[in-house]
Amino acid sequence: MDNTFLIFTVGKLNFAIDIADVKEVISVGEITKLPKSTSNISGITNYRGEIIGILNLNVLFNEMPTPSLKRIIVTETVENKIGLMIDSATKFLKIPDTVQLKSFQTDDINLTQLWSGGKIQAIVKKLAKGIYETKEGIFYVIDANKLVENDLES
């Protein structure tokens, strides 16, 4: 059985998230800033009568945002719903089971060639399940549950 992912961009980087973890992709609306929150937390917003936190992935991954294309992926984790502020959601992509997910722990993935900056490498290793390399490109597969489990500032 194939795996289906939502492909999205943050700066120049391409990411994938399992569609089973995606509730909806919405336009950026009114976001209320939270005092004393970390820089990667944009604030909170009302999502269909429920207050959710908004995590700004441009800040988290130290990427320059594309202001005109901002979107929010509402993802439902084991713990709660969270909004991921991204530049754009580009497409849904079915990845056949024959395409192997490369793991950061077991496969030879040289993140230094992919990004500069140790902070970014550490954060990707915390949040990603691994990397898919397909004819469509390279996609860093985000684990939505890890977004709420980790201290993302370290």
Side-chain angles (χ1 to χ4, degrees):
M1 186 170 142
D2 295 344
N3 301 302
T4 304
F5 294 90
L6 173 65
I7 305 301
F8 63 95
T9 61
V10 176
K12 294 179 247 167
L13 307 174
N14 292 314
F15 290 91
I17 188 168
D18 193 312
I19 61 164
D21 295 329
V22 176
K23 191 89 171 140
E24 188 174 2
V25 179
I26 61 175
S27 298
V28 175
E30 184 178 331
I31 296 175
T32 304
K33 299 239 183 256
L34 296 173
K36 299 181 183 179
S37 63
T38 60
S39 61
N40 55 28
I41 303 295
S42 291
I44 56 174
T45 193
N46 184 332
Y47 170 71
R48 302 190 184 280
E50 188 175 353
I51 303 301
I52 63 169
I54 304 297
L55 177 63
N56 188 326
L57 296 185
N58 287 97
V59 174
L60 185 65
F61 293 125
N62 201 27
E63 286 290 312
M64 292 300 297
T66 310
S68 62
L69 298 176
K70 285 283 185 207
R71 308 292 283 172
I72 293 175
I73 298 173
V74 178
T75 181
E76 192 160 16
T77 68
V78 173
E79 298 291 321
N80 58 18
K81 289 184 185 82
I82 188 169
L84 308 177
M85 188 179 293
I86 61 170
D87 288 330
S88 66
T90 58
K91 61 185 166 186
F92 290 102
L93 180 65
K94 283 188 178 184
I95 298 180
D97 286 336
T98 56
V99 176
Q100 196 71 17
L101 178 69
K102 292 186 176 183
S103 167
F104 294 112
Q105 287 75 33
T106 59
D107 294 316
D108 183 27
I109 297 173
N110 187 349
L111 288 178
T112 306
Q113 291 178 344
L114 302 174
W115 285 314
S116 59
K119 177 184 176 189
I120 297 170
Q121 292 176 28
I123 290 171
V124 168
K125 284 184 178 182
K126 281 184 178 183
L127 297 181
K129 294 178 182 179
I131 295 176
Y132 274 122
E133 290 184 82
T134 71
K135 64 181 179 181
E136 302 275 339
I138 297 174
F139 305 101
Y140 306 94
V141 182
I142 295 294
D143 184 338
N145 289 307
K146 289 183 180 180
L147 289 169
V148 292
E149 294 172 3
N150 281 293
D151 172 15
L152 300 176
E153 285 294 312
S154 59

